[in-house]
Amino acid sequence: MATLICGSLAFDTIMTFEGRFAEQILPDQLHILNVSFLVPGLRRDFGGCAGNIAYAMRQLGGVPLPVATLGNDGADYLERLRALGIGTDFVRQIEGTYTAQAMIMTDRDNNQITAFHPGAMMQAHLTRIEARPDVKLGIISPDGRDAMLQHAEQFHAAGIPFVFDPGQGLPMFGGAELSHFVDLATWVTVNDYEGRMLCDRMGVELHDLSRRVKGLVVTLGGDGCDIWEAGVKTHVPAVQPAAVVDPTGCGDAWRGALLHGLEQGWPLARCAMLGNQLGALKIASRGPQNYQVDATVLAQA
């Protein structure tokens, strides 16, 4: 069975700042902020939420189908997806635009500053989602605003259960819109900051929110994650990584593992544990799509 992954395909330009952002930014001078960071390390990777999640699922043996758009510079990304065995049935190229671009700067404490140009992503709503016999699951991850709204409605109309993962796209929506997303979704995933913002905008608490879906997961970075089911919280501890090299794409690796587990019909706690394992594996590699899942990870799942 296949999983539809709605979100961005992007090129990530990843830069390494050897100092600490906090030492370069004066809190009392934010109103006249003018800073420059020397970044000796720079590389370009394939990225974007849909691409990163699809990569993780494929590493685990799944059948991911990204629902995303590329610009006229996206031929290399299409070729890469096909080489990985990831279907491109729902990947559309938009002429006259660039593929989405993320410029990510990481300091020595793994804090990140990101600038994002959406490009072709803003046309993602042109691709419709309809019922298909081989599609079992879906996810709404950060994408163009119209695409997120329309794809959620289309998943619901097609009877396809899906994860609502608003991520960096959360600030685009007001409380009523977020509440509607939750009512359409089967599961919700957020990090701790996004969880606070989501609850604040909806005017609810996490335990109340969890009663409106089958499961709610709040990821906590190096502290693992909390699972909420029917108002009850369960903590799933973190997995210690072999090394902390690059956090870019860790959340997407986690979500790919979550979807893999949900596709197998696992309990949510088991899905989250595999997510923590994959996140730990990813953070030890540079770039969002350069780690390899070995038999050890699969055996522990």
Side-chain angles (χ1 to χ4, degrees), residues 272-296:
M273 178 55 72
L274 180 61
N276 291 352
Q277 287 177 284
L278 217 62
L281 184 65
K282 203 261 51 97
I283 204 170
S285 298
R286 293 203 179 278
Q289 297 180 24
N290 298 321
Y291 60 96
Q292 300 293 320
V293 176
D294 59 25
T296 304

Side-chain angles (χ1 to χ4, degrees), residues 91 160 241 247 259 262:
V91 177
I160 300 171
L259 290 169
L262 292 175

